[in-house]
Amino acid sequence: MPQQTIIPCLRYADAPTAIDFLCRAFGFDRHAIHADDADPRIVHHAQLRLGANLVMLGSARADEAQARYRWKTPAEAAGVTACIYCVIDDDDAHYVRARAEGADIATQPHDNEGYPGRSYSARDPEGNIWDFGTYDPWA
């Protein structure tokens, strides 16, 4: 598989809590966390790994980048405009873990309609939609 070249980037009102949740519930590993020296509740940049893939995130804050890119958390935007899809080996086992860790399940594990594989969707504590499934578009 080629190295990932498109990496989702998210902002969270409470990035440390989001990082803990994503690791516990969805199985991510901390690859790099760059917290503020003066205030560790502010995460300037974090990289979480799921298998061979990364997602990057940081703390939502009123700064030049927020103004330039018009970053909004799902709560600030009053909804989401995209979901993050993650290829996994076993959607049922992944679902059990996520549910046990308090993930808000949007769709139960199901066979995909019109294409192979199975999937389920969940919201993280700040409302981002994560879709986990066995369909591998590279296969």
Side-chain angles (χ1 to χ4, degrees):
M1 178 175 186
Q3 184 175 7
Q4 178 183 354
T5 59
I6 298 174
I7 301 171
C9 301
L10 303 166
R11 291 286 175 118
Y12 286 91
D14 185 348
T17 298
I19 290 166
D20 289 343
F21 174 83
L22 294 171
C23 291
R24 276 192 340 271
F26 296 160
F28 282 89
D29 293 316
R30 289 165 174 82
H31 183 69
I33 310 292
H34 301 281
D36 190 85
D37 291 334
D39 184 354
R41 294 172 300 173
I42 296 173
V43 175
H44 293 289
H45 177 80
Q47 297 168 194
L48 303 182
R49 187 177 62 220
L50 184 65
N53 298 289
L54 288 175
V55 61
M56 297 189 300
L57 63 94
S59 293
R61 56 195 185 276
D63 62 7
E64 184 180 324
Q66 187 278 333
R68 181 182 317 118
Y69 300 119
R70 293 184 243 157
W71 282 102
K72 294 197 183 307
T73 64
E76 292 168 332
V80 295
T81 60
C83 77
I84 309 299
Y85 178 70
C86 303
V87 178
I88 56 173
D89 292 330
D90 184 346
D91 67 307
D92 292 306
H94 196 275
Y95 161 81
V96 168
R97 175 184 180 159
R99 195 178 88 201
E101 290 295 337
D104 177 16
I105 305 301
T107 61
Q108 302 290 321
H110 61 279
D111 291 334
N112 294 331
E113 186 174 331
Y115 62 102
R118 291 178 49 79
S119 64
Y120 81 95
S121 298
R123 286 178 196 85
D124 67 29
E126 294 198 19
N128 292 296
I129 297 292
W130 295 81
D131 192 48
F132 297 95
T134 59
Y135 174 69
D136 181 349
W138 294 107

